[in-house]
Amino acid sequence: MEKRVRFRSRWLPWALIAPQMAVVLVFFFWPAAQALYQSVLSQDAFGLSVEYVGAANFERLFADEGYLQSFKTTALFSLLVAVCGLAFALLLAVLADRVVRGAAVYKTLLIWPYAVAPAVAGVLWMFLFAPSIGVVSHALGQLGIQWNHLLDAGDAMALIVIAAVWKQISYNFLFFLAGLQSIPRSLIEAAAIDGARPWRRFWTIVFPLLSPTTFFLLVINVVYAFFDTFAIVDAATQGGPGKDTAILVYKLYHDGFKAMDMGGSAAQSVILMLIVVVLTVLQFRYVERRVQY
């Protein structure tokens, strides 16, 4: 039986949602509308002269090889962050779900990275992998692996991926652990009695029942890789070497606040916003069909 709340006053529902609507309008729709407006303008670095240029900023972007290369860099970075982040978090959650003694300490330690600011995470991993003084780079050198993210594009990409995955792994871990603990133990015990081995029980029972959680985290991680990793890239590599780790959100900042190209930066923000909207719609449209609720 459906329970619906009926208000006697016609204005009370609108008054209740007004604060939330105000926040959404001020902090989401207004900046988006401002970016869309500035993307069709050309202005000097000091904002003294403004000229309407239509789609010229967008045409200039798609004729720029550096901007097209940042698409490939962002796609690779987002794929690695989402896949590696979900895989490691799921592994840790499965292990934590089996811990009997010291489970609270183990889970608390895994949550700590979420309290670290993204810029601090980038600086932390930059020092660990510093070519001259880094502990990890020194250990890799002892194994015969030469590491220098200041000169090697592959090393630089690996560094920001590791930092981004480490920063987000606590968030993914908490959701996976909650999903694992919500699965009825009777299902797993029945499969074990029928002779199913642990690996088969995981793929045929546990993983399908975790698919709603996995789908939700996939969307969150893609959005995180596109928008929330700017501080990590800025602190760890500053888009280098060259522009090999300049993902879209970092290039947007560089062109807008360092190169002072406000119109081009606004056009990039509009394109980035459209990309995330399209990816999210595609994920809900096609990936959600495979989710078992």
Side-chain angles (χ1 to χ4, degrees):
M1 182 179 178
E2 184 181 3
K3 296 183 178 179
R4 301 184 62 182
V5 178
R6 297 183 179 278
F7 296 95
R8 295 180 179 179
S9 172
R10 295 177 56 188
W11 298 104
L12 182 57
W14 295 104
L16 292 175
I17 65 171
Q20 179 66 29
M21 292 300 296
V23 171
V24 172
L25 288 174
V26 172
F27 294 102
F28 291 91
F29 287 101
W30 188 2
Q34 186 69 23
L36 186 61
Y37 172 66
Q38 289 190 339
S39 68
V40 296
L41 301 178
S42 176
Q43 55 183 315
D44 59 29
F46 302 100
L48 299 177
S49 63
V50 180
E51 179 185 1
Y52 175 77
V53 294
N57 288 327
F58 295 94
E59 295 173 356
R60 182 160 51 88
L61 282 178
F62 287 108
D64 182 6
E65 289 293 334
Y67 185 67
L68 298 179
Q69 180 60 36
S70 69
F71 268 97
K72 299 177 183 177
T73 304
T74 306
L76 176 62
F77 174 72
S78 303
L79 179 66
L80 291 174
V81 169
V83 172
C84 296
L86 293 181
F88 281 116
L90 179 58
L91 174 63
L92 293 174
V94 171
L95 296 177
D97 193 39
R98 296 184 177 184
V99 172
V100 178
R101 292 184 177 179
V105 176
Y106 180 68
K107 295 171 186 175
T108 303
L109 291 176
L110 285 174
I111 296 172
W112 275 7
Y114 195 64
V116 178
V120 177
V123 172
L124 171 67
W125 284 98
M126 181 193 67
F127 275 112
L128 289 174
F129 281 93
S132 57
I133 60 173
V135 176
V136 178
S137 60
H138 177 73
L140 291 175
Q142 295 297 316
L143 297 174
I145 302 174
Q146 298 301 320
W147 176 279
N148 193 339
H149 65 268
L150 301 177
L151 300 176
D152 190 281
D155 291 350
M157 176 60 73
L159 174 61
I160 61 173
V161 168
I162 291 172
V165 168
W166 180 81
K167 177 67 184 71
Q168 187 70 359
I169 203 164
S170 301
Y171 186 88
N172 299 334
F173 166 78
L174 286 176
F175 277 88
F176 274 132
L177 184 62
L180 287 170
Q181 292 179 345
S182 67
I183 297 175
R185 295 293 177 186
S186 58
L187 293 177
I188 300 175
E189 292 171 358
I193 294 173
D194 289 340
R197 295 183 177 276
W199 188 250
R200 185 174 179 81
R201 294 200 297 269
F202 177 81
W203 282 112
T204 57
I205 299 175
V206 176
F207 192 70
L209 291 176
L210 280 178
S211 56
T213 304
T214 307
F215 172 70
F216 167 75
L217 290 176
L218 177 63
V219 176
I220 294 296
N221 277 260
V222 169
V223 175
Y224 162 74
F226 268 83
F227 283 105
D228 295 340
T229 51
F230 162 77
I232 291 175
V233 175
D234 187 49
T237 64
Q238 295 185 341
K243 295 182 179 178
D244 290 327
T245 56
I247 60 176
L248 288 173
V249 68
Y250 184 80
K251 182 171 175 53
L252 185 156
Y253 157 77
H254 183 275
D255 291 353
F257 292 94
K258 291 189 175 181
M260 302 304 291
D261 180 11
M262 294 300 177
S265 179
Q268 291 182 45
S269 67
V270 172
I271 293 172
L272 185 60
M273 183 170 53
L274 291 176
I275 290 173
V276 173
V277 170
V278 170
L279 284 177
T280 305
V281 171
L282 289 176
Q283 285 176 330
F284 277 98
R285 181 71 176 80
Y286 295 103
V287 180
E288 194 182 21
R289 291 180 177 179
R290 299 178 181 273
V291 176
Q292 300 179 16
Y293 291 101

